[in-house]
Amino acid sequence: LDQATFFFEKKFSETPEALRYLSSRGLAEATIKEWRIGYAPLDWRQLHDFLLDKGFTKTELEKVGLIKKSDKREGEHYDVFRGRITFPIFDQSGKVIAFSGRILVDDGKSPKYLNTPETALFNKSETLYGLHKAKVDIRRKDYSILVEGQMDLVMSHQAGFGNTVASSGTAFTEAHLKKLQRLSNRIIMAFDADGAGFAAANKSAVLALSLGMEVKIAPLLKGSDPAELIKTNINAYSGALKNSLHIIDFYVRSLVAQKLDSRVMGKEIQAKVLPYINMLQSSIERSHFVSKVARIMGIKEEAV
């Protein structure tokens, strides 16, 4: 995998359009080198041949998810990553264990992102992208920032938000959150300000609250993701993190902003807010939010 990373880095240096694409997204050359970002050529067997020449076997390459058996030709294999910007995924000690590849030129039929399948080395429900670099900062600042994609993560670190981690093409799992909890009990979720982003935040937040973690949401501008916001308006991103709200405050505030009539508001709060309050492990915190909701709705605390 380290040799594959080296191969992709070399190919990147020979592919100006790959550099142009990442520069257009706001990445500096130093960041590209630091994160060992590369390029997998749009060719069926270049990596396969390179690694076989280095003395590796097809079995080894298949086991770590770099090549696949051909359906059409008996005994033939082809490269998994082709025509993609490659982001190496590291374990906690900084060793490469997998890749995530972003298509460089959209062909209309391939997925935008392609990740290494599960292997003996790579378990995506336990691997956090960037944790090998973020762990010291998470301890020091006593909170972690959760983002969804590789670009969000790399741009965050480039901009100085070194306590940021991302999931590897999957929702945050209990195993991910427990890893973070060992470093700090506090997390801020900075997910895309769209329906899918909120759904992902919601799922992760439920898990984190059930583990007794403090969960905050950073209110990003509509239609923006962290990478885009850092590139176009870093102050807005920084402000969103500073003004992050406890998840219960976040949902209460967004319901209040909808100016619903009191009956509908009550139903919405019952469905969307009270389950979170119920999950809080601290009875003091629970009573704080019960009072708050009662005050907003103008009803007795007992009713809440």
Side-chain angles (χ1 to χ4, degrees):
L1 287 160
D2 198 65
Q3 283 292 328
T5 308
F6 167 75
F7 171 84
F8 292 144
E9 286 176 300
K10 189 170 183 316
K11 292 296 168 189
F12 183 89
S13 70
E14 297 164 5
T15 315
E17 56 269 37
L19 175 60
R20 269 199 301 277
Y21 168 73
L22 289 182
S23 301
S24 76
R25 296 290 307 271
L27 280 191
E29 285 195 49
T31 305
I32 294 166
K33 283 194 173 72
E34 185 190 345
W35 290 87
R36 302 193 69 189
I37 298 169
Y39 175 68
L42 189 53
D43 189 277
W44 288 99
R45 282 180 199 83
Q46 272 200 47
L47 178 67
H48 165 282
D49 295 347
F50 172 81
L51 291 172
L52 290 187
D53 282 349
K54 292 276 178 196
F56 296 103
T57 65
K58 290 188 182 198
T59 308
E60 287 171 325
L61 303 191
E62 216 178 337
K63 273 188 174 170
V64 292
L66 290 174
I67 63 170
K68 258 184 177 172
K69 270 196 182 87
S70 168
D71 296 334
K72 293 169 186 161
R73 295 182 179 179
E74 190 68 36
E76 290 245 348
H77 290 74
Y78 61 89
D79 293 347
V80 169
F81 297 99
R82 303 181 309 281
R84 291 176 179 274
I85 304 267
T86 56
F87 295 85
I89 294 169
F90 307 90
D91 67 9
Q92 244 172 297
S93 62
K95 287 193 172 75
V96 181
I97 54 168
F99 292 94
S100 181
R102 194 218 186 268
I103 201 156
L104 182 57
V105 179
D106 195 355
D107 60 5
K109 56 180 195 282
S110 305
K112 188 154 103 171
Y113 275 94
L114 182 69
N115 292 319
T116 297
E118 300 265 312
T119 68
L121 296 173
F122 176 56
N123 179 340
K124 66 182 177 188
S125 61
E126 288 183 8
T127 306
L128 284 164
Y129 182 57
L131 184 61
H132 67 299
K133 285 188 185 289
K135 55 191 178 185
V136 173
D137 231 23
I138 293 172
R139 273 213 178 93
R140 191 170 60 83
K141 292 177 178 167
D142 193 23
Y143 70 97
S144 54
I145 302 167
L146 273 52
V147 296
E148 283 179 290
Q150 272 89 16
M151 281 301 297
D152 292 336
L153 182 285
V154 177
M155 283 292 283
S156 296
H157 278 254
Q158 178 177 289
F161 305 103
N163 52 335
T164 306
V165 293
S167 61
S168 297
T170 177
F172 283 92
T173 64
E174 191 170 325
H176 289 145
L177 293 164
K178 280 183 170 168
K179 270 187 180 174
L180 292 173
Q181 194 171 27
R182 286 198 280 275
L183 302 168
S184 168
N185 205 43
R186 300 158 65 215
I187 55 176
I188 295 177
M189 294 184 172
F191 286 6
D192 296 13
D194 59 19
F198 278 136
N202 199 22
K203 215 170 165 192
S204 307
V206 168
L207 268 174
L209 284 174
S210 70
L211 293 172
M213 297 179 84
E214 181 192 290
V215 184
K216 288 186 168 184
I217 302 271
L220 300 186
L221 299 171
K222 263 271 181 283
S224 64
D225 59 36
E228 194 56 36
L229 206 48
I230 288 167
K231 183 188 164 215
T232 56
N233 190 346
I234 191 162
N235 292 337
Y237 184 67
S238 197
L241 294 174
K242 278 197 185 82
N243 300 321
S244 59
L245 297 164
H246 190 287
I247 187 158
I248 294 170
D249 285 323
F250 180 81
Y251 280 115
V252 168
R253 189 175 284 193
S254 58
L255 287 175
V256 169
Q258 291 173 42
K259 298 190 165 51
L260 306 167
D261 77 53
S262 58
R263 205 174 126 270
V264 176
M265 177 76 158
K267 279 191 166 173
E268 287 289 292
I269 281 191
Q270 191 169 350
K272 291 181 179 165
V273 176
L274 299 190
Y276 287 120
I277 296 178
N278 205 29
M279 261 177 222
L280 296 172
Q281 292 190 352
S282 153
S283 54
I284 292 170
E285 261 202 298
R286 273 202 306 273
S287 114
H288 162 77
F289 284 112
V290 163
S291 302
K292 194 170 228 181
V293 169
R295 195 168 64 249
I296 286 163
M297 291 177 65
I299 59 174
K300 288 183 175 165
E301 284 185 25
E302 291 74 30
V304 176

